[in-house]
Amino acid sequence: MPMFSSNRRNDIPALEYDMNPYESFMKKHLQHYGYYTGRNASFRQSYQNFADWDQVTSFGAEVSDSDSESDDLKNSRSDSHRERDDTRTTQLIYSFKEGKMVPRLREPRQLYAINNKELGPQQTARWPSEIEVLPDRVKHISNGSNGEPEPFYKRTGEEHTPWIKGEDNGGEVVYEYEPRNTPFFMRSRVGGYRGEDLRAYIYELSDPNDPTLIFESRFESGNLAKVIKVGPYSYELWLRPDYYTGKHTQWYYFRVTNTRANVTYRFTIVNFMKSDSLYNHGMRPLMYSDKNAAQKKLGWVRCGSEIAYYKCNMRYVSGKSERCHYALTWTCQFPYNNDTTYFAHCYPYTYTDLQDYLLNITNDPIKSRICKQRMLCRTLAGNLVYVLTITSPTNDSEQNKMKKGVVLTSRVHPGETNASLMMKGFLDFLTGTSADAKLLRDTFVFKIVPMLNPDGVVVGNYRCSLAGRDLNRNYKTVLKESFPSVWHTKNMIRRLKEEREIVVYCDLHGHSRKRNIFIYGCENRFRPERRLRERIFPVMLSRNASDKFSFDACKFKVQKSKEGTGRIVMWNMGIMNSYTMEATFSGSNLGKKKGYHFSAADLESMGYDFCDTLLDYCDPDSTKAEQILVELEERMKQEILQQMQKIGQTTVVSPSDIDLDDYYTSGLESSDGGSDSSVSDGLPVHLQYLAEQLPKKKKRLKSKKERDKERTPSKKTTQATAIQEGIPFEGKTSDRPGTAHQKSHESHKMSASPTGHIRYTTVRPKSRDDRTNGGIPIFTQERSDERAVKKSDYLEAITNAYLQNGVLRADDLQQQDVPHLRYSSRQGQQSPLPEGPCESHQKAFAASYVANTLGLKASWLPGRLQTIKRVHFHPRLPHSRSPEAEP
């Protein structure tokens, strides 16, 4: 019999309406885009309800009439569950096959895969919603300088360094764009700001003969904030700092139109912050002409003369002090009239360029099999961070497990575009058809993140993300939402390391102060079995790219200020060969390329050399690696010997006498502080802003008892009073510095014994209640105690005078006190002059005077005498003699 009874079939509504809310919503959503609009109407009309569909499919098991009642009950229960599953699940789909509807499981959704059937960019770049963006995309051809090397600029020493004038000295603003002021990133949008009240000011030509240049930078990766015309053909340019920060002005990329041929223009960028630059060592700006590209197929070329980088008269506030800006000035001539020309710090490589490159790989039937693209995460603005997995496909799981891992990342600093060119060369080689490329894919599993900071690349930042912070200082962060790309990258590497050994981790960067290409690594000084082995790979790379890569510029010192970088974090995770590879913005001073700039092709070829070095490093024959290790040990011993000779140690006379276990230290090499790596500047901007808005914690009010305790310092027992009164002291001894004269008085007070004198005191111990035991208030009792102390001091002074003159006898001898004089040093005099007795001895002198007036033998009283009261002098008695006059 059928699975469902006929009575139950009649109660089931039409199949079209029997769906859960999610399916209903998705169907309406798809109808908006043209789906479910009648193409399958005849198919749906063939089966009006679920009963017809059930009769056609005959989906169920026939049951005989001889089955027991219990079996019928079980079948009815299973039928009800099966009906509920068939009609409510979203994982079953039905296809029409041989006149029947056949159910099958839905294919799993590839949530992070890239659709290889797309014909355009995979996703349009998203911008912060307050930034104005031009709708047209900027495109450049990749060819440059016709393959000819471009030499460095040779300074003459007579380059003009113009004084910065600005608007206040007659300059005219011809371009200005300042985005709407927001304290931190809040939302993004495709195409940026869509309002009609545009804030950018663009100079409008008064007539066709007006020679003023028209500037623009509101396109992807563009950076220009303000332009002031200070002469007929002279312009001062201000760069925009990284968004939501006030610093990092290094990257520039802008265009000019309305050019005049054979006219010398001067451009001066006035707000750089670094004290030194490669522009002081022959580097020249890059220029791109649209007409050159269209007519001669010529792309980016080096340009400029009279190039100078210098400290200018503009200042900015840094912390509590002011610093000077640095300016870059150059002159150039345009080849065509009315041309569109671009200037840039380095070869631009935008987020859209990366998407086009990845799309070409995806649409290639061969490359798409060996290169799988996934979405690692989304950035703050919603742009995709791609991760590529490149390896040879295989069905042998054991063979796949034997492969080692290699991880490469790039563009964590958006202004370092030369890193993307090295990454492009690496991907071109690895996805190619050469035998070496196939061997690499058979040996390794490559995990590649080609652009870690797409948000910064889109908006034209030099160093930071939209969090306003340097991502390469936050690999140790737990703030997943603020630094998503580095957080997911670190976790991806951790999972990969659990699966297989990672041979090399390398983060690609650019450098603005040094020439050549070099590596920063991490030394293994505390692990003798690994010592110097982290340097084998850079040595091999320097031999494969001897005209570009410099091993002498490599550093392997691990600094505390760089603990948040990817290089050190991955090294702490156990990856021995953890590197940061830095490529200069300028060129080389090695081999055949000495004195020439690096072209885009040179940077891409560095990716090829990196792949060759991987094959050399992982060669099963380790003879080459062991030979390099021996050379590194000899080189290290030579450096140690030279260092010892500099400091005058002559105990070691030859490198063979040096034991690396005893002498090896990281102090032999300088730090990498001269690199572009800056220190971390704290939490993300939005968290700092929110912290400032939080209400401050109110100061706790003190109770009446605490206030009274502060107002009555006499209640505290000091060490001096404890010694005088003969009670134990449990407080803390004062460590405040004093003069030698004050310390001498303290020593006298400390050395005096209270047992040699008759004490007069009426001080009684106080209770902790607000009143004394007799019911008298505490403050009244305190005043009474103070009067008793003064009285006892007076009686003690008289008693001491009697004791010293033999009127009274004491068992213990008294130590005589020596008078002290206070000294002052006056200007222009060599020795200090006495001013007279100090305050303590003035009181002692008064006590001596009282004793003389009483007819007693005068002498100096101990230093613990404080006050003498109620002493009346007879006017006719002679004055007392000074202590010095006593025999």
Side-chain angles (χ1 to χ4, degrees), residues 452 621 645:
L452 279 166
D621 184 5
Q645 291 175 352

Side-chain angles (χ1 to χ4, degrees), residues 116 359-372:
N116 59 358
L359 186 62
N360 292 332
I361 292 179
T362 305
N363 292 332
D364 189 295
I366 299 176
K367 293 183 178 181
S368 60
R369 293 184 65 250
I370 59 178
C371 179
K372 301 298 182 182

Side-chain angles (χ1 to χ4, degrees), residues 305-345:
S305 58
E306 297 186 35
I307 302 173
Y309 187 91
Y310 62 98
K311 182 187 292 187
C312 66
N313 56 300
M314 305 300 296
R315 304 180 69 86
Y316 67 98
V317 178
S318 176
K320 296 182 180 180
S321 61
E322 288 188 353
R323 295 183 179 181
C324 289
H325 277 299
Y326 290 83
L328 167 67
T329 184
W330 76 92
T331 61
C332 68
Q333 293 185 354
F334 298 110
Y336 302 97
N337 288 324
N338 298 319
D339 190 13
T340 299
T341 306
Y342 295 83
F343 290 95
H345 180 59

Side-chain angles (χ1 to χ4, degrees), residues 120-189:
Q122 294 162 351
Q123 178 184 329
T124 306
R126 300 182 64 88
W127 298 68
S129 57
E130 68 271 12
I131 298 179
E132 299 175 12
V133 184
L134 298 179
D136 299 333
R137 177 189 170 187
V138 175
K139 294 183 180 181
H140 304 299
I141 63 174
S142 58
N143 296 331
S145 69
N146 293 327
E148 298 178 0
E150 298 173 295
F152 291 152
Y153 171 74
K154 295 182 180 180
R155 301 191 63 182
T156 62
E158 299 179 356
E159 287 80 7
H160 179 53
T161 55
W163 182 266
I164 308 304
K165 298 180 180 179
E167 298 178 67
D168 299 335
N169 295 319
E172 179 186 5
V173 177
V174 296
Y175 174 83
E176 184 174 13
Y177 172 60
E178 182 179 356
R180 286 153 183 81
N181 188 16
T182 54
F184 51 86
F185 171 76
M186 289 183 286
R187 62 180 63 89
S188 65
R189 180 182 291 124

Side-chain angles (χ1 to χ4, degrees), residues 8-138:
R8 191 169 181 83
R9 292 197 198 104
N10 296 333
D11 297 335
I12 298 176
L15 179 62
E16 183 177 0
Y17 302 99
D18 189 14
M19 60 180 63
N20 59 27
Y22 172 78
E23 288 183 335
S24 177
F25 168 77
M26 290 303 299
K27 183 174 181 180
K28 293 180 181 179
H29 181 71
L30 293 173
Q31 284 176 348
H32 177 73
Y33 291 98
Y35 297 94
Y36 298 99
T37 55
R39 289 177 294 179
N40 297 327
S42 60
F43 173 76
R44 289 199 302 270
Q45 291 174 1
S46 301
Y47 307 100
Q48 293 294 330
N49 51 43
F50 188 78
D52 296 338
W53 174 84
D54 188 26
Q55 290 178 353
V56 174
T57 57
S58 299
F59 183 72
E62 295 292 336
V63 183
S64 63
D65 295 337
S66 62
D67 289 341
S68 62
E69 184 177 357
S70 61
D71 293 337
D72 294 339
L73 181 61
K74 290 180 181 179
N75 289 333
S76 62
R77 290 178 180 175
S78 63
D79 291 345
S80 62
H81 287 298
R82 199 171 301 170
E83 175 195 2
R84 189 182 306 116
D85 294 340
D86 290 343
T87 57
R88 296 187 180 181
T89 182
T90 59
Q91 299 302 319
L92 283 178
I93 57 176
Y94 304 95
S95 60
F96 187 73
K97 186 177 182 180
E98 297 180 357
K100 296 181 180 181
M101 290 289 292
V102 180
R104 62 183 177 88
L105 286 175
R106 186 190 303 270
E107 293 292 334
R109 292 183 296 170
Q110 298 186 9
L111 297 178
Y112 302 103
I114 307 301
N115 186 3
N116 59 358
K117 295 182 180 180
E118 295 181 0
L119 299 179
Q122 294 162 351
Q123 178 184 329
T124 306
R126 300 182 64 88
W127 298 68
S129 57
E130 68 271 12
I131 298 179
E132 299 175 12
V133 184
L134 298 179
D136 299 333
R137 177 189 170 187
V138 175

